[in-house]
Amino acid sequence: MDESISVLKSGGTILYPTDTVWGIGCDATNPEAIAKIFDIKKREQSKAMIILVESERRLQDLVDVPEMAWQIIDLSEKPVTFVYEAARNLPKEILAEDGSIGIRLTKDDLCKKLISKLNRPLVSTSANLSGQKSPMKFADISDEIKNAVDYIVPEHHDKISQYSGSSVIQIWQDGKVKVLRE
């Protein structure tokens, strides 16, 4: 854990297990670290990435959360990422072109500890080159990705993900909801 936090605080990138697939992460408030992830994934900067938070309080520091989102979070068994209209306290490099941001309130203990110790939201994008299949287990991650990150979290290398990704729901302040991915 200490090595992961040290790498993240110094602007580095990590490869880590999430509540869905293996992810590439960095401090979501560090524009240079965010740029590294776009380079690692060979991803266009116009394609937004999501971030993880560990608590309701941190979520509310970043966006206004409509009541409907809380209800879905409480009822959903599968991890759910919400795309919120307007973010605060985040660099433009992590936001979509329209200023929106995808955020998931993680229930995974390892992710919660990472975010809590970092004391910042964590970028969470699948550990694959852009356009390729998301890794369901550590062995599915390409050597190119493994060699490109600054640190690989040693936990859960034998675990197979229960989910190939989170549900993604866009939610507006007026209560309008659109399912982008089930």
Side-chain angles (χ1 to χ4, degrees), residues 95-111:
L95 304 177
E97 291 177 340
D98 65 359
S100 65
I101 182 71
I103 304 176
R104 184 164 69 247
L105 178 58
T106 186
K107 296 177 183 175
D108 179 81
D109 288 338
L110 176 69
C111 291

Side-chain angles (χ1 to χ4, degrees), residues 63-64 66 83-87 98-101 170-175:
V63 292
D64 292 323
V83 178
Y84 297 95
E85 284 183 272
D98 65 359
S100 65
I101 182 71
Q170 188 159 13
I171 193 157
W172 289 266
Q173 284 302 317
D174 64 7

Side-chain angles (χ1 to χ4, degrees), residues 33-166:
I34 294 165
K36 286 182 191 177
I37 292 182
F38 278 108
D39 288 344
I40 290 169
K41 287 185 62 82
K42 297 178 175 31
R43 185 176 180 142
E44 295 173 37
Q45 296 211 354
S46 62
K47 294 184 86 176
M49 291 186 285
I50 71 160
I51 63 173
L52 298 180
V53 295
E54 86 289 17
S55 67
E56 293 176 2
R57 181 171 180 232
R58 190 173 312 276
L59 178 60
Q60 291 172 312
D61 286 345
L62 300 173
V63 292
D64 292 323
V65 184
E67 184 57 37
M68 177 67 72
W70 293 123
Q71 292 172 14
I72 294 170
I73 289 169
D74 288 343
L75 295 173
S76 181
E77 293 179 22
K78 181 180 179 180
V80 180
T81 300
F82 285 96
V83 178
Y84 297 95
E85 284 183 272
R88 307 182 283 275
N89 308 316
L90 291 170
K92 65 178 174 23
E93 290 81 1
I94 195 69
L95 304 177
E97 291 177 340
D98 65 359
S100 65
I101 182 71
I103 304 176
R104 184 164 69 247
L105 178 58
T106 186
K107 296 177 183 175
D108 179 81
D109 288 338
L110 176 69
C111 291
K112 283 180 165 188
K113 285 178 190 168
L114 276 171
I115 299 162
S116 183
K117 284 188 176 264
L118 179 62
N119 197 25
R120 295 189 186 104
L122 192 62
V123 167
S124 181
T125 184
S126 56
N128 59 315
L129 297 176
S130 190
Q132 293 185 351
K133 190 176 176 189
S134 297
M136 298 296 288
K137 60 186 183 294
F138 182 77
D140 294 341
I141 302 168
S142 73
D143 287 341
E144 184 175 353
I145 294 289
K146 290 176 185 173
N147 293 328
V149 297
D150 297 306
Y151 183 71
I152 299 173
V153 172
E155 284 90 352
H156 305 299
H157 285 215
D158 57 346
K159 181 180 168 187
I160 298 173
S161 177
Q162 183 178 351
Y163 305 104
S164 60
S166 65

